[in-house]
Amino acid sequence: MSKSKIFVLDTNVILHDHKAIRHFQDNDLVIPIAVIEELDKFKKGNDALAYNARGFMRDIDRISEGRNFGNGGIPIGKGLGLIKIEPNHPFPEQYRDLFRDDIQDHRILATAMWVRDNNKDRFVALVTKDVNLRMKAKAAGMEVQDYLTDKVEEKRIEDAQKEVQVRIVEDDVMQDICYGPDSSAPWDRIDGSRPSANQLYKLRWKGDKASAPVCARFDDRRNRVVLVRQREAYGIRPRNDEQKFALDACLNPDVSLVALTGGAGTGKTLLALAAALQQEKYYDQIVISRPTIVLGNQDIGYLPGDQKTKMSPFLQPLMDNLNVIKEQFKPSSREALKIESMLTQEKLIIEPLAYIRGRSMGKCYFIIDEAQNLTPHEIKTIITRAGEGTKMVFTGDIFQIDQPYLDQWSNGLTHLEQKMEGQPLFQHVFLRRGERSALSDLAAKLL
């Protein structure tokens, strides 16, 4: 029987997922003391990194209560391996000139190499989400891996971007969808197998293939493919088929969880906000939020001014979308005055995600912008707090991530799309075409 493996964890793995130590099956784990030192710097604050740092330290304290780590380590739990905190060790002699800077990454790598050299009969690997550290480890001949527990396969991302199916349909079926009394048709007249819930279609007339496609969606409750109509929400009209799908999802009361992905200028946040305002009478509150990503891991406390002043730069893009909607109407119009009244009475709230922890989510229309910067755990935490009558719309671009420990395969938005695919309460729409301006669209394509 082969011996279990040993994995040495980098700080960023724990900051990404504080429950990571429970995802290595019966293999043993080593936490370099340098990792504990780094976690101590992250434990203060309200952001995800601070939450994960504190969560891990509480967990490791609970595991080690009344026991020392010793040489072998301490059992993590039933069916899991051992965990040990390892003091710092120097690099092997031949690598000391290669890594001269005394930094935490080098201390972690040196400790991982020491563990490997002292466990020659076992497989030992350093696990890190830091690409640079992975390159250094490879240069030093150290086995190194990314933390893959919540990563989504690249093919799944490609499939999500091709999710709208194009079908050429018999003319009599198209007549039922476009002009029939309930604007629908049986799914088996359109698709060869039963579609998943909220599958999107672009349907073409068999007798006139040159005509514009008709947008449709599979309604799981009715077991039929239904027409997606051109709709308007608070003065905002879709400019392309994907925007039509997106607005339909945001306005659909049967879909309580929506993910809108796409590049800059595709209208994700604008459509979600317009839909929320259009349906404001059905909700007690509309909350628009986004994670606060600050360069250099600095807390917003270093910025001058009060809370409102500190947060203004982060929330300005959300205000810009609100202003676009307000500009559709005269300042004295009922719609414009309604928006001002909602802001004053706090029925419409624009706040950073870190400031709404603990807020009740009952009968709330909740828009989370830049959701690609959230971890899968954060996404889960937000959704599981949704009360009765709440609708959540997550928007973001998985190729524009500002979190240092996330990428297009491991971020929460990608994770959400994969795990919720096919659920009747969920709909994902990928918006391809930029509509901000001709210049913006040209730059997105060519630069």
Side-chain angles (χ1 to χ4, degrees):
M1 183 176 179
S2 61
K3 290 188 176 182
S4 61
K5 301 175 182 179
I6 300 176
F7 293 102
V8 182
L9 303 192
D10 189 10
T11 313
N12 48 57
V13 174
I14 295 164
L15 292 175
H16 177 74
D17 179 7
H18 74 277
K19 295 183 179 179
I21 61 173
R22 302 184 182 277
H23 295 156
F24 288 86
Q25 300 177 337
D26 60 347
N27 298 300
D28 295 341
L29 303 179
V30 173
I31 309 295
I33 198 71
V35 169
I36 303 299
E37 293 172 351
E38 281 197 301
L39 290 174
D40 191 56
K41 300 175 183 177
F42 283 94
K43 66 183 182 182
K44 296 180 180 179
N46 295 318
D47 61 6
L49 301 183
Y51 173 85
N52 285 330
R54 292 192 298 267
F56 171 78
M57 295 309 298
R58 284 194 295 266
D59 197 16
I60 201 75
D61 183 56
R62 187 164 48 249
I63 291 171
S64 63
E65 186 175 4
R67 292 180 286 186
N68 294 323
F69 288 99
N71 293 326
I74 295 174
I76 300 172
K78 185 178 180 180
L80 303 175
L82 304 175
I83 190 168
K84 179 184 179 184
I85 295 179
E86 186 67 41
N88 293 331
H89 294 280
F91 279 107
E93 188 67 35
Q94 66 268 34
Y95 293 108
R96 290 180 184 174
D97 288 337
L98 181 61
F99 302 106
R100 294 183 178 181
D101 293 339
D102 184 20
I103 59 176
Q104 297 290 44
D105 278 1
H106 291 171
R107 294 178 183 178
I108 294 168
L109 177 55
T111 300
M113 296 175 73
W114 183 91
V115 173
R116 177 200 61 187
D117 294 342
N118 284 270
N119 293 272
K120 294 185 181 296
D121 59 335
R122 300 174 67 181
F123 174 87
V124 179
L126 171 64
V127 182
T128 177
K129 297 190 71 62
D130 186 334
V131 177
N132 287 341
L133 183 55
R134 288 207 294 270
M135 294 303 104
K136 291 179 180 180
K138 290 177 181 179
M142 178 72 202
E143 185 73 30
V144 62
Q145 299 178 4
D146 192 1
Y147 179 65
L148 301 174
T149 296
D150 53 13
K151 279 218 169 190
V152 175
E153 296 177 9
E154 187 169 359
K155 185 177 183 301
R156 296 298 296 269
I157 296 178
E158 294 174 355
D159 290 344
Q161 296 175 2
K162 301 173 183 176
E163 63 187 1
V164 180
Q165 302 294 319
V166 178
R167 296 284 187 271
I168 297 175
V169 182
E170 297 289 345
D171 289 358
D172 62 322
V173 178
M174 290 293 284
Q175 285 283 352
D176 287 341
I177 291 177
C178 295
Y179 309 113
D182 60 354
S183 300
S184 69
W187 64 262
D188 55 0
R189 295 294 307 277
I190 293 170
D191 221 329
S193 57
R194 191 178 190 277
S196 59
N198 298 312
Q199 170 65 57
L200 303 177
Y201 293 98
K202 290 186 180 181
L203 307 178
R204 294 187 178 276
W205 296 77
K206 189 173 184 179
D208 185 9
K209 297 179 183 179
S211 62
V214 173
C215 295
R217 172 181 59 85
F218 176 63
D219 189 327
D220 185 73
R221 296 175 63 186
R222 297 171 58 187
N223 207 32
R224 296 173 70 85
V225 174
V226 300
L227 177 67
V228 174
R229 302 179 184 277
Q230 177 78 4
R231 304 170 74 177
E232 179 178 320
Y234 231 80
I236 301 298
R237 293 176 61 85
R239 295 185 178 182
N240 56 56
D241 289 340
E242 281 72 29
Q243 286 193 354
K244 188 188 295 186
F245 285 130
L247 187 59
D248 178 72
C250 292
L251 291 172
N252 188 348
D254 296 328
V255 176
S256 53
L257 180 61
V258 178
L260 304 181
T261 60
T266 51
K268 306 178 295 294
T269 310
L270 181 64
L271 291 167
L273 179 54
L277 294 172
Q278 184 69 28
Q279 303 171 91
E280 58 86 16
K281 64 182 179 180
Y282 302 117
Y283 299 96
D284 293 339
Q285 201 169 53
I286 297 172
V287 180
I288 318 167
S289 187
R290 60 178 357 206
T292 306
I293 306 298
V294 188
L295 295 178
N297 292 321
Q298 300 180 79
D299 187 81
I300 61 170
Y302 81 95
L303 294 171
D306 57 17
Q307 173 184 329
K308 185 175 181 180
T309 304
K310 291 174 188 287
M311 299 315 306
S312 180
F314 301 101
L315 303 181
Q316 190 56 49
L318 300 177
M319 290 300 303
D320 290 343
N321 280 284
L322 186 60
N323 288 333
V324 169
I325 295 176
K326 289 170 66 176
E327 288 171 1
Q328 307 300 311
F329 310 100
K330 294 181 179 179
S332 59
S333 67
R334 181 179 62 85
E335 292 83 359
L337 294 175
K338 181 70 174 178
I339 293 175
E340 291 298 331
S341 174
M342 292 173 66
L343 287 168
T344 303
Q345 298 174 13
E346 294 192 344
K347 181 166 184 178
L348 173 60
I349 297 177
I350 302 177
E351 283 190 348
L353 203 55
Y355 281 61
I356 60 172
R357 292 185 186 274
R359 185 183 294 277
S360 173
M361 298 293 183
K363 290 198 70 175
C364 174
Y365 198 111
F366 194 18
I367 301 171
I368 303 93
D369 194 28
E370 302 291 347
Q372 77 277 3
N373 288 318
L374 297 173
T375 66
H377 176 77
E378 288 177 295
I379 293 277
K380 179 180 179 180
T381 300
I382 293 168
I383 295 174
T384 52
R385 297 187 63 253
E388 196 68 35
T390 288
K391 179 158 185 160
M392 291 189 169
V393 181
F394 291 84
T395 70
D397 179 3
I398 63 171
F399 299 104
Q400 296 291 328
I401 296 174
D402 300 314
Q403 274 281 21
Y405 307 131
L406 297 177
D407 55 30
Q408 61 262 43
W409 300 284
S410 63
N411 69 88
L413 191 54
T414 298
H415 196 73
L416 173 66
E417 296 162 21
Q418 182 202 23
K419 295 297 183 181
M420 288 291 184
E421 181 183 6
Q423 296 297 320
L425 294 177
F426 173 73
Q427 186 169 341
H428 169 238
V429 182
F430 174 66
L431 293 96
R432 301 173 179 276
R433 181 176 162 188
E435 295 288 354
R436 185 168 288 166
S437 67
L439 176 59
S440 174
D441 196 26
L442 181 64
K445 291 177 181 178
L446 301 182
L447 297 182

